[in-house]
Amino acid sequence: MKILYGVQGTGNGHISRARAMAEAFQQFPDLEVQWLFSGRPPEKLFAMEAFGDYWWREGLTFVHKEGKIDKLATARQLDLGKLLNDIRELPVNDFDLVISDFEPVTAWAAKKRKCASLGLGHQYAFNFSIPTPAFGWVARSIMKAFAPVPVSLGMHWYHFGHPILPPIAHAHEEPTPTEQEHILVYLPFEHPTPLLRHLAQLPQQFIVYGLPTDLPKAENITLKAPSVEGFRHDVATARAVICNSGFELIAETLTLGKPILTRPLKGQFEQEANGMALKELQLAKVVEHIDALTIGRWLEEHPKGVRIAWPNVAHAIVQWIADGRSESPQALADKLWQGVVPGQRRAQSADASTTLETTEEIEGAKGSESS
């Protein structure tokens, strides 16, 4: 079977999920995958060896400024003519199946030519009634029209009573018994100058990703360039994680049981919905502002993290595809959620861990449909 797999490259979460899928596909030699990435300039893509001779298209992306979506700049950078031309010329008829991880060029090309297609990723969970903010019809219409597919496998930290799969996320490195003193910070959408100024006011050590590494900084701050293995190691050995409310990083952090402080990107439907879900499921501390006062108060509370072991979702999906997708998404979801192993509510020190009945707490959470 020949598969065209499109990945939205705006954030690192989509690509991280794609790496796990690429590893799973290697175990099924009868499935031949051609990867396509869009939404990020090709020179800004890194650690792409797993995808071989991948294709690139400009696609669609959002422009952010100082922690929120800049709608005007987003509209200005849209080249609709090029997008339509890329959709029209993409050779989707050469493939047996088109998969879109919320990637618009592959999704729309398959839709236009009525090719077999499948949506895969967190955004497709919003097809169901799950915690979401009261956004207007414009935001909802954009979510539905961005990368449309006839069949989808949405993912979330909980199923909310719907055929939603667990995340594709695994602990890449076990936390050490004596964790290091640093706090991992990944806030690529924040304005760097005030962020670094606030971190400098605190006594803790911070390792910061997502910012230029040549910025002036205080001695308690280490700025690091993008690195898959380096980032995974620094998350695994961190006392806690401070980040925006992207889906994949938080899912991976939950495998390690790290305390999480998160601020949703303002005006970004997915991140604001993620913030609501995190509050409802009690998986992280969600705040409106990231500053010295907020971080300091959070750390003074000795925050605890929830550790959850997700099953091998990537392998299960590829197996499902190899078997002809005869099993319903609901049956696939049910089987995978049975493999979710709740762990412990962990403090920053391993000695302070206490057992948490995570399943019972999460089972009490109810999905809500906004007006």
Side-chain angles (χ1 to χ4, degrees):
M1 176 187 290
K2 295 183 63 178
I3 298 172
L4 176 60
Y5 198 129
V7 182
Q8 173 68 12
T10 302
N12 290 324
H14 297 268
I15 300 178
S16 176
R17 183 163 52 240
R19 288 192 184 99
M21 290 295 293
E23 183 178 341
F25 274 118
Q26 290 179 358
Q27 302 174 41
F28 294 83
D30 291 338
L31 302 180
E32 179 184 343
V33 183
Q34 172 63 56
W35 297 90
L36 181 149
F37 294 84
S38 72
R40 184 191 302 193
E43 65 272 13
K44 293 187 177 181
L45 296 169
F46 63 95
M48 302 292 285
E49 296 81 9
F51 309 113
D53 188 17
Y54 62 88
W55 295 347
W56 178 86
R57 300 294 187 273
E58 185 171 315
L60 292 170
T61 190
F62 295 97
V63 178
H64 57 84
K65 183 179 181 181
E66 299 182 7
K68 60 182 179 181
I69 294 292
D70 189 327
K71 297 179 181 178
L72 183 59
T74 297
R76 285 175 175 171
Q77 59 87 40
L78 173 62
D79 188 341
L80 186 58
K82 181 170 179 51
L83 174 65
L84 294 175
N85 187 66
D86 286 344
I87 292 171
R88 182 169 53 252
E89 294 186 353
L90 193 66
V92 289
N93 288 327
D94 295 342
F95 299 89
D96 302 300
L97 176 67
V98 176
I99 300 176
S100 171
D101 188 331
F102 210 57
E103 197 289 310
V105 179
T106 48
W108 274 103
K111 180 180 176 65
K112 291 292 186 181
R113 294 178 180 80
K114 296 180 173 56
C115 298
S117 63
L118 170 70
L120 182 66
H122 175 52
Q123 286 82 0
Y124 294 108
F126 294 98
N127 293 337
F128 303 97
S129 176
I130 63 175
T132 54
F135 270 56
W137 65 271
V138 175
R140 293 183 175 277
S141 298
I142 291 174
M143 283 289 291
K144 289 184 178 180
F146 194 90
V149 291
V151 179
S152 63
L153 298 177
M155 301 171 191
H156 215 308
W157 305 303
Y158 182 61
H159 54 72
F160 299 100
H162 300 292
I164 297 172
L165 275 56
I168 295 177
H170 305 282
H172 302 287
E173 187 174 336
E174 283 296 314
T176 57
T178 55
E179 294 168 336
Q180 297 181 14
E181 289 300 312
H182 72 268
I183 295 169
L184 189 287
V185 179
Y186 182 65
L187 295 166
F189 304 116
E190 305 293 331
H191 193 291
T193 301
L195 172 61
L196 294 176
R197 185 175 66 248
H198 284 296
L199 294 179
Q201 298 174 32
L202 297 163
Q204 290 82 13
Q205 295 292 317
F206 297 95
I207 294 180
V208 182
Y209 283 85
L211 301 183
T213 58
D214 57 352
L215 295 173
K217 57 181 177 56
E219 291 184 359
N220 67 323
I221 301 170
T222 301
L223 298 176
K224 291 195 174 184
S227 167
V228 174
E229 294 304 322
F231 185 80
R232 289 171 176 173
H233 173 76
D234 289 333
V235 172
T237 57
R239 292 175 56 197
V241 172
I242 300 175
C243 60
N244 290 120
S245 302
F247 177 69
E248 201 67 26
L249 173 56
I250 291 178
E252 292 182 357
T253 303
L254 290 171
T255 69
L256 300 166
K258 303 291 181 179
I260 302 169
L261 178 70
T262 181
R263 188 191 81 83
L265 180 60
K266 188 175 181 181
Q268 216 275 10
F269 179 90
E270 177 195 353
Q271 290 218 0
E272 295 201 5
N274 287 347
M276 291 182 63
L278 290 169
K279 282 184 179 179
E280 191 165 313
L281 300 173
Q282 301 178 35
L283 297 177
K285 175 74 171 180
V286 182
V287 296
E288 294 183 3
H289 305 283
I290 295 288
D291 51 35
L293 181 61
T294 301
I295 297 172
R297 286 179 174 174
W298 177 61
L299 292 173
E300 288 174 0
E301 297 171 355
H302 301 288
K304 300 176 181 179
V306 179
R307 187 173 185 181
I308 303 175
W310 310 111
N312 193 337
V313 178
H315 183 275
I317 292 174
V318 176
Q319 181 72 67
W320 179 75
I321 293 171
D323 292 342
R325 311 188 300 282
S326 57
E327 189 177 40
S328 70
Q330 180 68 71
L332 178 62
D334 290 343
K335 180 172 61 179
L336 284 169
W337 281 106
Q338 289 175 5
V340 174
V341 180
Q344 295 179 324
R345 172 79 72 175
R346 299 179 67 252
Q348 290 182 8
S349 168
D351 295 335
S353 297
T354 55
T355 301
L356 168 72
E357 296 298 334
T358 310
T359 302
E360 293 181 4
E361 287 193 8
I362 294 181
E363 287 292 343
K366 301 293 184 181
S368 61
E369 185 174 10
S370 63
S371 59

